[in-house]
Amino acid sequence: MADTAALENSKKIQTLRKSPASLLRTAFEAGSVAGTVELREVPFLTMAGLRVDPAGDAGQRLGALTGGLPSASGEVRGSGDTAVLWLGPAEFLLVAPAESHESLGGELPRTLIAALGDGQGQVVDLSANRTTLELSGPRASAVLEKGCALDLHPRVFQPGTALSTEIGGIPVVLWKTGDETYRIFPRASFAEFLGRWLLDAMREYASTEVP
Amino acid sequence: MLLIPCPNCGPRDETEFHYGGQAHVAYPENPAELTDREWAEYLFYRDNTKGAFAERWLHSTGCRQWFNMLRDTVTYDIQAVYPMGQLRPATGPTAPTVTSPVSPEGAVK
Ligand SMILES: [Zn+2]
């Protein structure tokens, strides 16, 4: 457990760090079309990779802590501001606010590692693995449809569903958090490419529609 | 583009998958006892079937799980998808023999 001085030092260091898509922040602001389609980065979310058999003892212990583990492709479980996304039959991605990370005084992933104990499985801090791009607005799905082969029709892809797939040719996890809001998790090294790809796909909605 | 039915995730584009070659190539009981030729055959020699072919696939962009698939190498028809470790199901007919339903225009497919 970090002592207060170490925590203060750690918080100081946090102010110096740069998120993977930070250099595009002004471009995201300029490229967003208010009320139509908007893009922003949600930096530094706490993420943890969980690899555990959900039916086993260790899986039960982790599930009790996270508000359950999803059991099928697309499912998202969780409680409060913590969500667990299904990545595979025994692989899950936990997503929580940045402040939940132990370097900022939170409890994650320490409590998860403690819950796993010496049970079979793995808890890995993946907070720096991916960043989060949030695409929202009535045209958000039209933007994604330019480079994602999934059926994004609201009849099929409903809020509260997350799938790993490809957007613009790169592997991402796509999580529909609201009727018109998507969270996209690209790996850090793909963040700039995906950010620019999305900006390009959004560009047409900045001009008036040709009747 | 093939639309491959992943047993975990449902139908997804072929680009999300990796091909794993011929399925059911058993690891030799006693690899040390093989001749160089037998070892080379185990490592490199694969069938080149025309018709139903059992092969391994990995859903690399999705659930990252391996599975077996029975696919017709001529028609690309996917005849079966089954878990790793399971025996190959009986080979289906190369072309479907069931009578197709009559299309709305009245023409039989
Ligand atoms: Zn899959």
Side-chain angles (χ1 to χ4, degrees):
Chain A
M1 214 160 289
D3 58 65
T4 325
L7 184 61
E8 282 312 309
N9 194 33
S10 155
K11 282 184 176 169
K12 216 177 291 169
I13 293 170
Q14 308 288 350
T15 61
L16 298 173
R17 63 178 176 172
K18 285 200 168 104
S19 61
S22 57
L23 79 170
L24 290 177
R25 195 189 307 143
T26 47
F28 286 170
E29 280 163 18
S32 290
V33 188
T36 303
V37 59
E38 294 172 62
L39 179 62
R40 67 182 184 115
E41 185 187 22
V42 187
F44 307 127
L45 290 187
T46 301
M47 297 189 203
L50 315 179
R51 301 200 75 158
V52 70
D53 173 10
D57 286 345
Q60 299 287 334
R61 286 202 300 277
L62 283 176
L65 202 69
T66 61
L69 295 175
S71 58
S73 174
E75 238 179 68
V76 177
R77 300 288 294 272
S79 62
D81 48 13
T82 303
V84 186
L85 282 54
W86 188 96
L87 294 187
E91 186 177 9
F92 313 94
L93 180 69
L94 178 134
V95 184
E99 315 81 73
S100 302
H101 197 272
E102 57 192 25
S103 65
L104 290 176
E107 301 278 287
L108 295 173
R110 185 170 8 96
T111 47
L112 295 167
I113 294 168
L116 179 67
D118 55 5
Q120 241 182 17
Q122 203 178 45
V123 176
V124 182
D125 184 1
L126 295 179
S127 305
N129 182 29
R130 298 171 183 272
T131 190
T132 308
L133 300 182
E134 193 174 79
L135 186 72
S136 57
R139 291 293 192 179
S141 59
V143 167
L144 292 175
E145 274 164 356
K146 297 182 186 188
C148 179
L150 288 180
D151 188 351
L152 298 179
H153 193 283
R155 184 177 54 225
V156 177
F157 194 45
Q158 291 176 350
T161 311
L163 295 170
S164 16
T165 183
E166 290 175 358
I167 296 175
I170 66 153
V172 297
V173 181
L174 176 65
W175 178 17
K176 188 168 185 179
T177 51
D179 283 331
E180 292 176 344
T181 311
Y182 298 86
R183 284 195 167 186
I184 310 165
F185 301 111
R187 294 218 164 81
S189 55
F190 287 116
E192 189 191 343
F193 171 84
L194 184 66
R196 292 193 192 281
W197 187 93
L198 288 167
L199 282 172
D200 184 46
M202 287 158 64
R203 189 165 302 160
E204 65 166 296
Y205 302 109
S207 15
T208 43
E209 206 168 328
V210 179
Chain B
M1 176 87 73
L2 282 178
L3 197 61
I4 297 176
C6 169
N8 293 307
C9 309
R12 296 289 185 93
D13 273 6
E14 180 188 351
T15 51
E16 292 194 5
F17 295 83
H18 270 292
Y19 183 62
Q22 184 178 351
H24 312 302
V25 180
Y27 190 76
E29 284 281 325
N30 298 302
E33 290 170 14
L34 296 190
T35 63
D36 283 355
R37 178 166 186 89
E38 285 167 332
W39 181 244
E41 280 179 4
Y42 162 69
L43 284 184
F44 305 117
Y45 283 52
R46 293 295 181 265
D47 296 340
N48 187 18
T49 310
K50 185 177 183 182
F53 187 51
E55 50 200 21
R56 301 176 301 176
W57 285 85
L58 169 68
H59 191 193
S60 43
T61 315
C63 59
R64 307 208 290 170
Q65 303 296 303
W66 285 94
F67 57 93
N68 287 321
M69 193 160 98
L70 201 60
R71 182 180 64 95
D72 193 302
T73 56
V74 179
T75 63
Y76 286 79
D77 179 38
I78 296 166
Q79 300 177 344
V81 167
Y82 56 103
M84 302 302 286
Q86 202 176 84
L87 291 177
R88 175 191 165 133
T91 305
T94 301
T97 49
V98 284
T99 341
S100 306
V102 178
S103 70
E105 293 80 25
V108 178
K109 279 192 178 169

